[in-house]
Amino acid sequence: MQKLCLVYFVVLMIAASLNYIPGLTDDDGLAFGIFALDIYDDALHVASALWALIAGLLSHRAARMFMILFGAAYLGDGVFGFFTGYGYLDLGIFTNASAGLDFSLGRVLANVPHLALGAVAVWAGVKNIGRPT
C-alpha cells in the first residue's frame, strides 16, 4: 500500500507538470490536444501528490486512508466529468454550465485518468493490499 502511494505521488506530479513540458500543449493550451489544465488543477495535483507521498512514508494505515479517500474523490470527479464536462475537485461544476453527458473520445480521454486512478485506489484501500501481518 505504501509503495502504491509512492507510485501515485509520481503519477500526480507528472500530471501537475503537463502544462510545463514543451510540446505537450497545443496552441489552445490543451494538453495532448484534449484537456486544459489551469493553476487550480496543478495545485490540486501537487496537493494530492504530497498527500500520497506523506501517507506512503508514514504508515500502512495512512496509505490505506489515502487510497480510500483520494480514490473516492477522484472516482467521483471522473464520473462528474462524464455527466457535466467538469469535475468538482477544481470547482469546475460550480463555475461552468453543464456540457451534458458525453461519451466522445475527448471526454473519455479527459476523464479516464481520474476514473482509473480513483478506482484502483478505492480497490486497493478496500482490499487492504499489502496489509501488515
Side-chain angles (χ1 to χ4, degrees):
M1 190 81 64
Q2 289 174 264
K3 289 178 185 172
L4 186 56
C5 276
L6 299 180
V7 170
Y8 270 66
F9 166 73
V10 171
V11 169
L12 290 163
M13 288 303 289
I14 289 170
S17 69
L18 290 177
N19 278 343
Y20 311 102
I21 300 172
L24 293 186
T25 56
D26 63 14
D27 293 337
D28 296 324
L30 299 175
F32 306 111
I34 300 169
F35 51 86
L37 295 170
D38 59 25
I39 191 71
Y40 301 109
D41 296 311
D42 295 340
L44 178 65
H45 287 125
V46 169
S48 298
L50 293 174
W51 182 19
L53 177 64
I54 292 165
L57 295 175
L58 276 179
S59 68
H60 176 84
R61 183 173 182 219
R64 182 173 185 228
M65 188 62 62
F66 167 80
M67 287 296 166
I68 292 170
L69 295 176
F70 167 88
Y74 265 57
L75 184 59
D77 197 61
V79 170
F80 266 81
F82 275 115
F83 280 94
T84 68
Y86 303 97
Y88 55 76
L89 292 174
D90 66 353
L91 306 178
I93 62 169
F94 303 108
T95 59
N96 301 290
S98 174
L101 180 64
D102 183 3
F103 291 102
S104 66
L105 181 60
R107 183 82 62 94
V108 169
L109 293 174
N111 289 291
V112 162
H114 279 220
L115 293 173
L117 285 172
V120 168
V122 168
W123 174 83
V126 170
K127 188 82 170 159
N128 201 14
I129 62 167
R131 66 183 153 266
T133 54

